[in-house]
């Protein structure tokens, strides 16, 4: 048996933050954001909304889609960089809300690559028969970690959650190749230094805005394109396919120009590369599962299709997964 994706779901806040809204907050313009990123709007959680709420709704939709009862899930991995709180993990809070009384819940902390990290981790557990069902969720409320005085960062990120239920599928289907990697030498390309054991939370860290995400977008851009292209090729080679065999490529929705550059390096026509960045912005670990669910529900992916997913995020982290539906 292989591990496969049995069902998916997604959810996001009702609140919308448009480029016109941002023009009123920072020195930016719709024209700059659109041409540099492809983003037109992003979802924004209200003050009383938090990550696990979106995760639970996405997870319930995925469980219903898969026809799997929450009590039959044995592990819940919540990929998030924006947990509800430091302790306990968001995975545990989701486990409680779902009534998944036979599951271990925990978080995967791998920034925008978190969903593919989660998929990679449960893949072998299912393939080897250690567990029957896993729930992998990517969920973020990034707008609460974004510095709305930093125009190069605050225009990028949005909120949302996507989830997938995984279980055994016949050989030839499901996950055909998957790989995750990291390189901590690039830690300062995207980081939030405050609040941990290194700097702690002090008046000084708050005044320095160290609890917010800081990004060197330009440097990140190049590493992202290089890493996602390379690992995508590796996944295809490993499984013995070429890009021509792939129905759709779902890259992490970081920036439309990153997506276009990856497509060009892989020599995939743009029509075969999914993008929803105009509506959602960069939702970090939630971006791939949201996109995947949209593709499945819109009929862009049907049974038998080969789908290539690739992610890149702070750390830096990256990954690739090739799935036959
Ligand atoms: N509005 C208007 N001008 C802005 C701006 C904004 N929101 N943000 C930055 N600028 C300005 C800069 O100040 C700079 O001005 P200067 O030339 O006078 O110094 C100019 O635009 C160019 O900045 P630069 O950072 O070189 O732009 P860029 O083309 O690299 O685009 C990003 C910036 C952030 C959009 C781009 O680098 C990016 O998307 N990188 C990847 C980010 C990402 O994906 N992060 C998540 C990883 S998962």
């Amino acid at each position: 048996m292989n591990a496969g994706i049995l069902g998916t779901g997604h959810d996001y806040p009702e609140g919308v933050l448009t480029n016109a809204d941002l023009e009123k907050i920072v020195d930016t313009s719709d024209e700059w954001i659109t041409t540099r990123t492809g983003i037109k709007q992003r979802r924004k959680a209200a003050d009383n909304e938090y990550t696990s709420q979106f995760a639970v709704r996405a997870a319930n939709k995925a469980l219903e889609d898969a026809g799997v009862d929450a009590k039959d899930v044995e592990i819940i991995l919540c990929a998030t960089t924006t947990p509800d709180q430091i302790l306990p993990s968001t995975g545990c809070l989701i486990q409680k809300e779902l009534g998944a009384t036979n599951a271990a819940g925990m978080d995967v902390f791998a920034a925008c690559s978190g969903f593919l990290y989660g998929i990679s981790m449960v893949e072998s557990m299912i393939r080897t028969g250690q567990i029957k069902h896993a729930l992998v969720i990517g969920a973020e409320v990034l707008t609460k970690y974004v510095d709305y005085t930093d125009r190069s960062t605050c225009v990028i990120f949005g909120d949302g959650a996507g989830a997938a239920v995984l279980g055994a599928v016949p050989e030839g289907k499901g996950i055909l190749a998957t790989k995750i990697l990291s390189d901590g030498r690039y830690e300062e390309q995207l980081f939030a230094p405050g609040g941990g054991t290194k700097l702690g939370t002090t008046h000084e860290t708050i005044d320095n805005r160290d609890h917010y995400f800081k990004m060197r977008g330009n440097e990140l851009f190049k590493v992202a394109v290089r890493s996602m292209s390379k690992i995508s090729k590796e996944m295809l080679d490993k499984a013995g396919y070429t890009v021509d065999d792939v129905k759709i490529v779902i890259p992490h929705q970081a920036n439309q120009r990153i997506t276009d550059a990856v497509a060009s390096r892989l020599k995939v026509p743009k029509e075969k590369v999914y993008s929803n960045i105009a509506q959602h912005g960069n939702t970090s670990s939630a971006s791939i599962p949201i996109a995947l669910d949209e593709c499945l529900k819109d009929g862009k992916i049907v049974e038998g299709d080969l789908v290539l997913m690739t992610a890149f995020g702070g750390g830096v982290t990256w990954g690739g997964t090739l799935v036959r539906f």
Side-chain angles (χ1 to χ4, degrees):
M1 299 298 271
N2 270 356
I5 293 173
L6 308 181
T8 54
H10 77 275
D11 193 71
Y12 44 72
E14 279 187 18
V16 176
L17 185 69
T18 64
N19 291 351
D21 296 328
L22 282 166
E23 283 176 357
K24 293 177 201 138
I25 305 171
V26 281
D27 180 15
T28 191
S29 65
D30 173 48
E31 199 263 331
W32 192 96
I33 302 170
T34 307
T35 52
R36 298 284 178 132
T37 70
I39 301 167
K40 298 299 281 183
Q41 63 165 52
R42 63 293 286 143
R43 295 289 172 153
K44 188 177 189 302
D47 288 349
N48 63 351
E49 290 180 311
Y50 43 91
T51 303
S52 66
Q53 295 174 321
F54 303 107
V56 167
R57 286 198 283 268
N60 271 322
K61 288 175 193 169
L63 286 166
E64 196 187 333
D65 192 36
V68 171
D69 193 281
K71 293 196 170 36
D72 293 327
V73 172
E74 286 159 278
I75 190 159
I76 299 168
L77 296 185
C78 179
T80 187
T81 318
T82 54
D84 286 7
Q85 52 202 47
I86 295 288
L87 184 73
S89 72
T90 310
C92 275
L93 303 172
I94 296 166
Q95 177 269 325
K96 173 191 72 175
E97 288 300 320
L98 294 176
T101 45
N102 296 306
M106 61 180 282
D107 289 0
V108 178
F109 200 14
C112 308
S113 310
F115 180 74
L116 294 192
Y117 263 60
I119 294 278
S120 261
M121 287 157 78
V122 301
E123 185 270 332
S124 57
M125 295 169 101
I126 292 168
R127 185 168 35 78
T128 57
Q130 195 188 336
I131 59 165
K132 281 208 169 80
H133 294 113
L135 190 51
V136 180
I137 306 163
E140 307 281 4
V141 174
L142 291 148
T143 57
K144 293 196 185 183
Y145 277 88
V146 155
D147 184 350
Y148 284 98
T149 65
D150 174 3
R151 66 176 181 174
S152 63
T153 302
C154 72
V155 300
I156 305 274
F157 296 105
D159 304 334
V165 176
L166 285 93
V169 295
E171 220 159 298
K173 283 191 161 193
I175 297 163
L176 307 180
T178 188
K179 186 174 178 178
I180 48 177
L181 282 164
S182 64
D183 190 342
R185 286 176 303 170
Y186 296 105
E187 66 166 293
E188 290 191 0
Q189 288 193 355
L190 180 55
F191 72 132
T197 55
K198 191 171 167 188
L199 296 186
T201 306
T202 63
H203 288 293
E204 199 186 343
T205 63
I206 302 285
D207 290 345
N208 288 342
R209 310 180 82 75
D210 285 334
H211 51 297
Y212 288 126
F213 286 177
K214 299 176 193 313
M215 183 173 75
R216 294 183 191 160
N218 215 303
E219 292 167 37
L220 211 51
F221 198 104
K222 293 168 208 155
V223 194
V225 172
R226 212 166 48 224
S227 311
M228 287 201 284
S229 311
K230 186 161 181 270
I231 207 157
S232 294
K233 281 184 194 144
E234 259 181 72
M235 293 302 94
L236 290 167
D237 288 348
K238 197 171 165 193
Y241 291 105
T242 71
V243 280
D244 296 336
D245 300 309
V246 174
K247 175 74 177 299
I248 199 157
V249 179
I250 302 181
H252 165 50
Q253 309 285 307
N255 175 317
Q256 188 59 45
R257 289 189 297 139
I258 292 181
T259 295
D260 292 346
V262 171
S264 150
R265 281 200 181 200
L266 290 176
K267 299 190 172 61
V268 197
K270 279 187 190 170
E271 315 79 72
K272 275 173 79 168
V273 185
Y274 189 69
S275 174
N276 63 14
I277 195 151
Q279 292 79 41
H280 291 287
N282 179 339
T283 57
S284 190
S285 67
S287 96
I288 290 183
I290 291 175
L292 177 63
D293 188 42
E294 286 179 351
C295 287
L296 284 160
K297 299 291 152 58
D298 290 351
K300 289 190 171 69
I301 300 171
V302 295
E303 204 179 338
D305 284 345
L306 194 62
V307 177
L308 176 65
M309 298 181 272
T310 181
F312 178 85
V316 295
T317 57
W318 67 102
T321 301
L322 188 69
V323 188
R324 171 80 71 193
F325 277 84

